[in-house]
Amino acid sequence: MNRSPMEILPDTAEGHARAAQLLRGGGLVAFPTETVYGLGADACNDRAVARIFDAKGRPSFNPLIAHFAERDAVKRHVIWSDEAEALANAYWPGPLTMVLRKRADSPISKLVTAGLDTLAVRVPAHPTAKAVLAGFGGPVAAPSANRSGQISPTRASHVTSGLGDRVDAVINAGVCAVGIESTIIGLVEHPILLRPGGVTKDQLMQTLGAAIAVRKNAEAISAPGQLGSHYAPNAAVRLNATEWRAGELRLGFGDVACDLNLSEDEDLVEAAAHLFDHLHRLDARGGTVIAVSPIPHHGLGVAINDRLTRAAAPRD
Ligand code: AMP
Ligand code: MG
C-alpha cells in the first residue's frame, strides 16, 4: 500500500508523461475530466484497481467506468454496435458513458466490471485526461477522486485534502467545467438510461431515433446492493469457513490449505484484486458449494465481505 507523499504534477507534457509512467507501474493518479477529478488506475491491473477501492474507502465493489483515449481502443474491449457508433459520433469525446457487452478476450480486470460481462466505457474530452490516456496507451478505470460518501472533487486541492497520500499523484489542472457526472446509457439489450447526466435523454433519443427506457431507480444504481445484475456464482457460497467440508471448493485467506487463496499474506488489497477472478475460476469447476475463509472486517475487507455476503444470499 502506498504511503509515500503524493506528487503534485503540473498540467504540462512532463506532468502528463509522469502520470502515464505512474499508471504503467500500477499507481493511482488523479486527473481532471470535464465532469470531475477522476482517480485513475490501469484498468487491466487487478491490484491497481483494488487500490482505487482501498483509497476511496468504498464499502462495496460497484463497477467502474473504463476511460479510453479514442474509439478504436474501446472497440477492442466491447462488442460494438450501430447504436454505439451513432452515439459515439454525436457525443464522444464527452460526458457520455455506454454500457456494452464486454468482449471475452478483453484483459480488463474483473474488479472493474464487478464480475459482470458488461463494461462501461467513455472517451472524455478534457485535454488533460486525453493527454494522460494517450500517453498511457490503455484503458484507465476512474471513479471520482474522493473518499466514499464525500463530495465529488472539482479541483486538485479537493483531491489532496480528501485522499492525501492514498494516491500517488494528482495533476493540478484547475477547476472542472461540468461538475455533473457523465450520463450512462445501457446498450446491452434495448437502450436504457442508467444515470442522468450532462447529455439528456431527449438528445439521446433524437440521436438513436428510438425510445429509451429509464432505469426506475436511477439514483440508486451505485448504492450498495442496488445493482440487480451483480455477478453471482452458480455454486452456493458458505462464508466464514474455519474448516472445510467434503466436496467443497475452498477459497482461502491466509495460511490455509485450499483450492485458491485470496491472499496467503492476509493482504486485503491482494485479496480484493483476486476476488472476482477466483470466484469465477472456482465456479467454473462446477461444484455445488464454494466455502470461503473468514475475511477481516476492516479496510477493503468491508467491501470484500459485502460482495461475498451477496454471493451467499438466497437466490430468487
Ligand atoms: P462513477 O465511477 O462514480 O462515475 O460511477 C460509475 C457508475 O457506472 C456507477 O453508477 C456504476 O454502477 C455504473 N456502471 C459501471 N459499469 C456498469 C455496468 N457494467 N453495468 C451497469 N452500470 C455500470
Ligand atoms: Mg463518485
Side-chain angles (χ1 to χ4, degrees), residues 56 58 143-144 146 152 181:
K56 285 181 66 73
R58 271 199 179 167
S144 55
N146 54 308
S152 288
E181 294 168 299

Side-chain angles (χ1 to χ4, degrees), residues 58 62-65 99 116 118-120 142-144 181 184 194-195 221-222 227:
R58 271 199 179 167
N62 55 334
L64 304 176
I65 297 169
V99 174
L116 300 171
T118 56
L119 177 66
S144 55
E181 294 168 299
I184 304 181
L194 297 173
R195 179 174 78 186
I221 185 169
S222 60
L227 197 71

Side-chain angles (χ1 to χ4, degrees), residues 63-281:
L64 304 176
I65 297 169
H67 295 71
F68 295 82
E70 36 96 30
R71 193 188 309 187
D72 285 345
V74 175
K75 292 182 185 175
R76 292 201 284 274
H77 294 269
V78 292
I79 296 171
W80 200 246
S81 66
D82 292 344
E83 287 168 335
E85 183 75 15
L87 292 173
N89 286 338
Y91 305 107
W92 277 1
L96 178 69
T97 296
M98 302 186 214
V99 174
L100 294 161
R101 184 89 55 202
K102 183 166 68 89
R103 283 175 53 152
D105 59 355
S106 166
I108 292 271
S109 167
K110 288 194 172 65
L111 210 44
V112 171
T113 58
L116 300 171
D117 61 1
T118 56
L119 177 66
V121 293
R122 170 156 105 89
V123 175
H126 194 291
T128 306
K130 284 170 78 167
V132 172
L133 289 166
F136 173 63
V140 170
S144 55
N146 54 308
R147 289 286 283 176
S148 183
Q150 296 187 347
I151 298 164
S152 288
T154 52
R155 47 176 83 236
S157 61
H158 296 161
V159 179
T160 48
S161 61
L163 293 175
D165 295 339
R166 291 186 179 85
V167 314
D168 297 292
V170 60
I171 300 178
N172 184 6
V175 184
C176 298
V178 179
I180 304 169
E181 294 168 299
S182 63
T183 301
I184 304 181
I185 184 167
L187 296 173
V188 174
E189 286 156 12
H190 53 98
I192 177 165
L193 188 71
L194 297 173
R195 179 174 78 186
V199 178
T200 67
K201 184 180 167 225
D202 285 350
Q203 286 177 298
L204 295 170
M205 290 207 296
Q206 204 142 48
T207 305
L208 292 178
I212 296 176
V214 177
R215 197 191 146 90
K216 281 209 189 68
N217 196 354
E219 293 302 319
I221 185 169
S222 60
Q226 295 289 334
L227 197 71
S229 51
H230 251 305
Y231 167 73
N234 292 314
V237 176
R238 186 170 74 84
L239 303 179
N240 299 312
T242 50
E243 90 298 337
W244 307 121
R245 299 176 189 161
E248 287 180 333
L249 296 158
R250 303 162 300 173
L251 181 57
F253 179 84
D255 185 18
V256 289
C258 54
D259 294 296
L260 289 175
N261 203 318
L262 289 169
S263 173
E264 287 178 21
D265 300 332
E266 303 190 9
D267 173 347
L268 289 167
V269 175
E270 184 184 25
H274 286 152
L275 179 65
F276 288 102
D277 198 48
H278 281 11
L279 280 173
H280 272 278
R281 284 167 58 194

